[in-house]
Amino acid sequence: MSQVRQAIPDFQFANEVYVGAQVAFYLVDAFGAKTATLATLYDAQTGAGTLLNPQMLDSDGKFPAPVYIGAAVIGEVTLANGVADHDTGVIGRANEYYGSATWNPGSCAAGASEQTTVAVSEAAIGDLAIASFSLPDSSMLPNAQVTAAGVVTATLTNISGAPINLASGTVRVRVFHN
């Protein structure tokens, strides 16, 4: 999966009002409204480990361990200590994906560009894309564009007056799906 995961910031800190509360996380639709579909919760920013949904808050009123999501969600809080059942606002970013590849751009003449492609299966023509390279050089400007469904073309342009020869590194792209 190439979707960007982020930690849920809500319920990371102790709050006695939420001791023992249950929080279920639901996906949101394109308009930011809660759906009936429970979201997949993850135990890390990457990897396949998942967590139970709903989550039970601990004796301090917080998550017992960090909880990560890969899509925008709304939390539904129930059984809170003296607080009425309620929903949170939208948590997270929707429709944001990433990909990476090893790339050796080689020698790039002054004013010239080097390109490579990175697979991001969710990318569609017209989506916004950005790129970075693990061996930064202020004379090499990174750029990215979705050039076909599932394909992002990353470009490094030499803006200096001399050739630049970058070693092999990692190109990373992030796509914001419309």
Side-chain angles (χ1 to χ4, degrees):
M1 173 180 268
S2 61
Q3 189 158 21
V4 175
R5 290 189 200 153
Q6 70 179 91
I8 296 177
D10 305 55
F11 314 111
Q12 285 187 1
F13 300 103
N15 185 337
E16 64 185 34
V17 172
Y18 291 117
V19 169
Q22 175 178 287
V23 186
F25 293 94
Y26 293 89
L27 296 176
V28 299
D29 63 20
F31 302 103
K34 181 173 81 173
T35 69
T37 305
L38 284 171
T40 301
L41 304 179
Y42 298 93
D43 63 2
Q45 193 169 22
T46 60
T50 59
L51 297 170
L52 294 175
N53 188 2
Q55 283 282 298
M56 296 299 294
L57 302 183
D58 66 14
S59 60
D60 290 324
K62 63 181 182 57
F63 289 138
V67 176
Y68 295 86
I69 51 173
V73 299
I74 289 178
E76 181 181 272
V77 181
T78 56
L79 308 172
N81 188 15
V83 176
D85 294 351
H86 62 279
D87 289 349
T88 66
V90 175
I91 302 167
R93 300 174 295 257
N95 301 320
E96 187 176 329
Y97 305 93
Y98 71 93
S100 64
T102 300
W103 182 26
N104 186 349
S107 184
C108 186
S113 297
E114 294 292 321
Q115 293 183 325
T116 193
T117 58
V118 179
V120 180
S121 60
E122 300 85 352
I125 297 288
D127 288 348
L128 174 65
I130 58 174
S132 67
F133 190 61
S134 61
L135 304 172
D137 183 312
S138 62
S139 296
M140 295 293 284
L141 293 181
N143 194 0
Q145 181 178 8
V146 179
T147 52
V151 178
V152 178
T153 298
T155 305
L156 285 174
T157 302
N158 182 349
I159 62 169
S160 76
I164 295 177
N165 189 0
L166 291 176
S168 182
T170 302
V171 60
R172 291 180 179 84
V173 297
R174 186 167 287 184
V175 176
F176 303 89
H177 186 66
N178 293 327

